[in-house]
């Protein structure tokens, strides 16, 4: 069915591209986003999965489910949500790539400064002594019983 529909769309676009119907079809196809294509691919995968699992009964089941799913997706415009999810994944990937790039630049700078033989101008670190236990600090052996008790 979907193969026939795709063939019909291609025929209309090729043969009637200068007519009102062809231009309307081209405008509606231009409004398709990546979310719509992902949604269509998911529907095809669902139908194929049902067919492979249950053969003829799976196709009947998919034919019962498909109209409601299509209406539900159209009503809530799930394609918009898929677009938002894809944009979020792209932003997170870009952020991670930038942090990875920044870390690589820092490592490269450290390697270059080591090869030059000198230390970079960094503040000296002071070694701090541990604080002396005061009279109000509990004995470490009794601290376990204070927490448990």
């Amino acid at each position: 069915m979907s193969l026939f529909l795709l063939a019909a769309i291609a025929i209309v676009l090729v043969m009637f591209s200068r007519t009102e119907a062809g231009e309307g079809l081209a405008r509606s196809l231009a409004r398709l986003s990546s979310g719509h294509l992902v949604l269509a691919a998911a529907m095809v995968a669902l139908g194929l999965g049902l067919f492979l699992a249950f053969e003829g009964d799976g196709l009947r089941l998919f034919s019962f489910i498909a109209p409601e799913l299509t209406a539900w997706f159209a009503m809530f415009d799930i394609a918009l949500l898929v677009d938002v999810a894809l944009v979020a994944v792209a932003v997170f990937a870009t952020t991670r790539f930038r942090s990875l790039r920044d870390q690589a630049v820092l490592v490269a700078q450290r390697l270059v400064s080591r090869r030059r033989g000198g230390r970079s101008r960094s503040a000296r670190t002071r070694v701090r002594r541990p604080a002396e236990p005061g009279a109000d600090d509990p004995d470490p052996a009794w601290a376990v019983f204070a927490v448990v008790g």
Side-chain angles (χ1 to χ4, degrees):
M1 176 80 176
S2 61
L3 184 62
F4 175 73
L5 184 62
L6 288 176
I9 289 173
I11 289 171
V12 168
L13 283 177
V14 170
M15 295 182 69
F16 303 108
S17 61
R18 301 283 186 236
T19 63
E20 212 175 296
E23 290 176 1
L25 184 59
R27 279 192 304 271
S28 64
L29 287 176
R31 285 191 303 242
L32 288 178
S33 67
S34 60
H36 290 103
L37 296 177
V38 168
L39 181 63
M43 290 287 286
V44 168
L46 176 67
L48 183 64
L50 286 173
F51 173 70
L52 292 175
F54 304 112
E55 297 175 357
D57 292 334
L59 286 180
R60 282 189 210 101
L61 182 63
F62 182 70
S63 68
F64 291 140
I65 294 172
E68 282 86 15
L69 278 179
T70 306
W72 188 76
F73 287 141
M75 186 170 54
F76 291 111
D77 199 15
I78 298 300
L80 176 67
L81 297 177
V82 171
D83 284 340
V84 169
L86 292 175
V87 167
V89 167
V91 167
F92 288 132
T94 303
T95 304
R96 288 185 181 175
F97 176 73
R98 285 183 184 159
S99 67
L100 181 65
R101 182 195 63 195
D102 293 342
Q103 289 176 359
V105 167
L106 285 175
V107 168
Q109 287 174 349
R110 287 180 187 160
L111 288 174
V112 168
S113 68
R114 285 184 186 169
R115 286 185 182 168
R116 289 184 184 165
R119 284 185 59 181
S120 63
R121 296 182 185 184
S122 61
R124 291 186 181 189
T125 57
R126 291 177 36 185
V127 178
R128 292 186 171 210
R129 295 182 185 165
E132 296 289 328
D136 57 339
D137 290 338
D139 188 24
W142 295 101
V144 174
F145 296 112
V147 172
V148 175

